mmCIF file of all heavy atoms in Angstrom:
data_model
loop_
_atom_site.group_PDB
_atom_site.id
_atom_site.type_symbol
_atom_site.label_atom_id
_atom_site.label_comp_id
_atom_site.label_asym_id
_atom_site.label_seq_id
_atom_site.Cartn_x
_atom_site.Cartn_y
_atom_site.Cartn_z
ATOM 1 N N SER A 383 25.892 24.823 17.926
ATOM 2 C CA SER A 383 24.531 24.664 17.443
ATOM 3 C C SER A 383 24.480 23.740 16.233
ATOM 4 O O SER A 383 23.597 22.882 16.127
ATOM 5 C CB SER A 383 23.939 26.032 17.078
ATOM 6 O OG SER A 383 22.665 25.894 16.500
ATOM 7 N N ALA A 384 25.452 23.894 15.318
ATOM 8 C CA ALA A 384 25.500 23.057 14.122
ATOM 9 C C ALA A 384 25.758 21.596 14.482
ATOM 10 O O ALA A 384 25.145 20.677 13.915
ATOM 11 C CB ALA A 384 26.570 23.557 13.164
ATOM 12 N N VAL A 385 26.673 21.365 15.444
ATOM 13 C CA VAL A 385 26.979 19.999 15.875
ATOM 14 C C VAL A 385 25.746 19.351 16.509
ATOM 15 O O VAL A 385 25.395 18.209 16.211
ATOM 16 C CB VAL A 385 28.161 19.990 16.864
ATOM 17 C CG1 VAL A 385 28.337 18.596 17.467
ATOM 18 C CG2 VAL A 385 29.434 20.421 16.165
ATOM 19 N N PHE A 386 25.072 20.112 17.393
ATOM 20 C CA PHE A 386 23.874 19.591 18.040
ATOM 21 C C PHE A 386 22.788 19.287 17.005
ATOM 22 O O PHE A 386 22.086 18.273 17.098
ATOM 23 C CB PHE A 386 23.350 20.592 19.068
ATOM 24 C CG PHE A 386 24.103 20.555 20.378
ATOM 25 C CD1 PHE A 386 25.330 19.931 20.490
ATOM 26 C CD2 PHE A 386 23.584 21.149 21.506
ATOM 27 C CE1 PHE A 386 26.031 19.898 21.665
ATOM 28 C CE2 PHE A 386 24.255 21.119 22.713
ATOM 29 C CZ PHE A 386 25.493 20.487 22.793
ATOM 30 N N SER A 387 22.649 20.184 16.048
ATOM 31 C CA SER A 387 21.647 19.993 14.995
ATOM 32 C C SER A 387 21.963 18.745 14.171
ATOM 33 O O SER A 387 21.061 17.981 13.804
ATOM 34 C CB SER A 387 21.601 21.222 14.091
ATOM 35 O OG SER A 387 20.667 21.041 13.052
ATOM 36 N N LEU A 388 23.253 18.541 13.876
ATOM 37 C CA LEU A 388 23.661 17.367 13.115
ATOM 38 C C LEU A 388 23.369 16.087 13.883
ATOM 39 O O LEU A 388 22.851 15.108 13.306
ATOM 40 C CB LEU A 388 25.159 17.455 12.796
ATOM 41 C CG LEU A 388 25.773 16.255 12.054
ATOM 42 C CD1 LEU A 388 25.122 16.080 10.688
ATOM 43 C CD2 LEU A 388 27.282 16.415 11.920
ATOM 44 N N ILE A 389 23.657 16.100 15.179
ATOM 45 C CA ILE A 389 23.430 14.908 15.998
ATOM 46 C C ILE A 389 21.947 14.560 16.046
ATOM 47 O O ILE A 389 21.550 13.413 15.825
ATOM 48 C CB ILE A 389 23.984 15.114 17.421
ATOM 49 C CG1 ILE A 389 25.518 15.193 17.384
ATOM 50 C CG2 ILE A 389 23.534 13.971 18.345
ATOM 51 C CD1 ILE A 389 26.148 15.540 18.712
ATOM 52 N N GLN A 390 21.107 15.577 16.341
ATOM 53 C CA GLN A 390 19.675 15.288 16.420
ATOM 54 C C GLN A 390 19.124 14.861 15.066
ATOM 55 O O GLN A 390 18.219 14.029 14.976
ATOM 56 C CB GLN A 390 18.907 16.498 16.979
ATOM 57 C CG GLN A 390 18.934 17.751 16.133
ATOM 58 C CD GLN A 390 17.805 17.820 15.130
ATOM 59 O OE1 GLN A 390 16.854 17.045 15.192
ATOM 60 N NE2 GLN A 390 17.912 18.732 14.186
ATOM 61 N N SER A 391 19.678 15.412 13.976
ATOM 62 C CA SER A 391 19.238 15.034 12.639
ATOM 63 C C SER A 391 19.591 13.572 12.342
ATOM 64 O O SER A 391 18.773 12.820 11.798
ATOM 65 C CB SER A 391 19.863 15.953 11.590
ATOM 66 O OG SER A 391 19.479 15.567 10.293
ATOM 67 N N LEU A 392 20.808 13.171 12.708
ATOM 68 C CA LEU A 392 21.243 11.798 12.475
ATOM 69 C C LEU A 392 20.404 10.809 13.287
ATOM 70 O O LEU A 392 19.971 9.768 12.771
ATOM 71 C CB LEU A 392 22.728 11.645 12.830
ATOM 72 C CG LEU A 392 23.725 12.336 11.895
ATOM 73 C CD1 LEU A 392 25.142 12.226 12.446
ATOM 74 C CD2 LEU A 392 23.665 11.734 10.502
ATOM 75 N N VAL A 393 20.172 11.145 14.552
ATOM 76 C CA VAL A 393 19.394 10.258 15.417
ATOM 77 C C VAL A 393 17.953 10.146 14.908
ATOM 78 O O VAL A 393 17.385 9.060 14.832
ATOM 79 C CB VAL A 393 19.418 10.761 16.876
ATOM 80 C CG1 VAL A 393 18.480 9.905 17.740
ATOM 81 C CG2 VAL A 393 20.820 10.716 17.434
ATOM 82 N N MET A 394 17.374 11.300 14.531
ATOM 83 C CA MET A 394 15.988 11.304 14.068
ATOM 84 C C MET A 394 15.847 10.540 12.753
ATOM 85 O O MET A 394 14.871 9.812 12.536
ATOM 86 C CB MET A 394 15.500 12.740 13.890
ATOM 87 C CG MET A 394 14.009 12.854 13.700
ATOM 88 S SD MET A 394 13.112 12.301 15.162
ATOM 89 C CE MET A 394 11.682 11.554 14.413
ATOM 90 N N THR A 395 16.834 10.706 11.871
ATOM 91 C CA THR A 395 16.816 9.979 10.602
ATOM 92 C C THR A 395 16.883 8.478 10.845
ATOM 93 O O THR A 395 16.177 7.696 10.206
ATOM 94 C CB THR A 395 17.983 10.413 9.711
ATOM 95 O OG1 THR A 395 17.879 11.817 9.440
ATOM 96 C CG2 THR A 395 17.989 9.647 8.402
ATOM 97 N N ARG A 396 17.733 8.096 11.803
ATOM 98 C CA ARG A 396 17.857 6.675 12.148
ATOM 99 C C ARG A 396 16.537 6.130 12.677
ATOM 100 O O ARG A 396 16.084 5.043 12.272
ATOM 101 C CB ARG A 396 18.959 6.508 13.204
ATOM 102 C CG ARG A 396 19.143 5.082 13.706
ATOM 103 C CD ARG A 396 19.766 4.197 12.662
ATOM 104 N NE ARG A 396 19.964 2.854 13.157
ATOM 105 C CZ ARG A 396 20.486 1.866 12.443
ATOM 106 N NH1 ARG A 396 20.877 2.095 11.193
ATOM 107 N NH2 ARG A 396 20.630 0.664 12.951
ATOM 108 N N VAL A 397 15.898 6.882 13.566
ATOM 109 C CA VAL A 397 14.626 6.435 14.142
ATOM 110 C C VAL A 397 13.551 6.320 13.063
ATOM 111 O O VAL A 397 12.838 5.318 12.972
ATOM 112 C CB VAL A 397 14.163 7.400 15.255
ATOM 113 C CG1 VAL A 397 12.734 7.069 15.693
ATOM 114 C CG2 VAL A 397 15.106 7.329 16.441
ATOM 115 N N SER A 398 13.429 7.364 12.234
ATOM 116 C CA SER A 398 12.372 7.376 11.216
ATOM 117 C C SER A 398 12.579 6.274 10.184
ATOM 118 O O SER A 398 11.621 5.606 9.772
ATOM 119 C CB SER A 398 12.304 8.740 10.522
ATOM 120 O OG SER A 398 13.490 9.001 9.797
#
Side-chain angles (χ1 to χ4, degrees):
S383 175
V385 172
F386 280 15
S387 178
L388 177 62
I389 292 174
Q390 64 90 12
S391 178
L392 290 174
V393 174
M394 192 64 215
T395 300
R396 177 71 179 179
V397 171
S398 65

